[in-house]
Amino acid sequence: MTLQVSKRTSAAAATAPDGERSAASCHLVTEPNAGAPAGEEVMREILGDREAGLAVTTRLEALSDGTFAIIITLLVLEIHRPGAAVGHLGTELLQAWPSYLAYAVAFVYVGVIWLNHHYMIERLRKLDLTFNWLNLSILGTAALIPFPTGVLANAFRDGNLMDQKAAVVLYALIAAVMSAAWLPTFIHLNRNPRLLKTGVPPGMFAVQIVRPAIGVLLYAVAGLLGWFLHPAFAVVIFVFIVCYYAATSRGVRTGQCAI
């Protein structure tokens, strides 16, 4: 069944009583066509295949929210219970301050990532296969955060200078990869406006490319300074990056959404 539009002009209405022609009336009629596709294929033909291969955002958002919840839970597991001797528990708890600081910074970091990710998904109308894979790369790299966080805390609590240098380089490398995962995502959204909701400003995601690019650069600088000068310089930059993203993130509100 195909949809065909035909104009039918009534002979009696062709000329109005005052001599002026009246507007021709248009009628939408349906005519059977034995060779035409049916159902969903008809709608795809009418829409010019714009919806072919696209999916809704519901399942992707549920998977992403669950992943971020697990990541935050794993951060808590990186705070190990002290095995102190009798009467030394207080001292051991105080000496574990690197774990507390690392957890606090990483918790804020993951929270900002989740807010920005939620903001991004809220601007999408549909998803394609490419975006699904790009989103998996964001989730996969974000899921790595608990690992370098725990290594960094342990190095500053129990390791020597070389251990601390190795730990900050590891953290900088993984955090840089996590930031870089957003770059192809924003590029893809900018090139495929059909995925965006009506009212999303053109080029909005093109602007977002700058912030993850800056993150990659800062993490590279932190790794170099931490290795060649002192690990403390890298830690200061790590904290600065998280504070910067937290201060500039608009989450579900109007504003920036990159990490």
Side-chain angles (χ1 to χ4, degrees), residues 13 29 37 49 72 103 131 134 169 182 205 211 216 221 235 257:
V29 297
D49 291 333
I72 290 177
Y103 169 78
F131 182 85
L134 293 174
V169 170
W182 290 80
F205 288 103
R211 296 184 72 216
V216 173
V221 172
V235 174
C257 70

Side-chain angles (χ1 to χ4, degrees), residues 15 22 27 35 38 46 58 61 76 90 92 97 118 126 141 146 149 167 182 186 196 201 213 215 217 226 238 255:
T15 305
S22 62
H27 302 277
I46 296 173
T58 307
E61 190 167 11
V76 179
E92 290 290 335
W97 67 266
H118 180 72
K126 292 285 187 175
T141 52
T149 300
W182 290 80
F186 290 144
L196 309 181
L217 177 61
F238 295 157

Side-chain angles (χ1 to χ4, degrees), residues 80 107 109 122 150 187 210:
H80 301 289
F107 182 90
Y109 197 16
E122 282 295 308
I187 294 174
V210 176

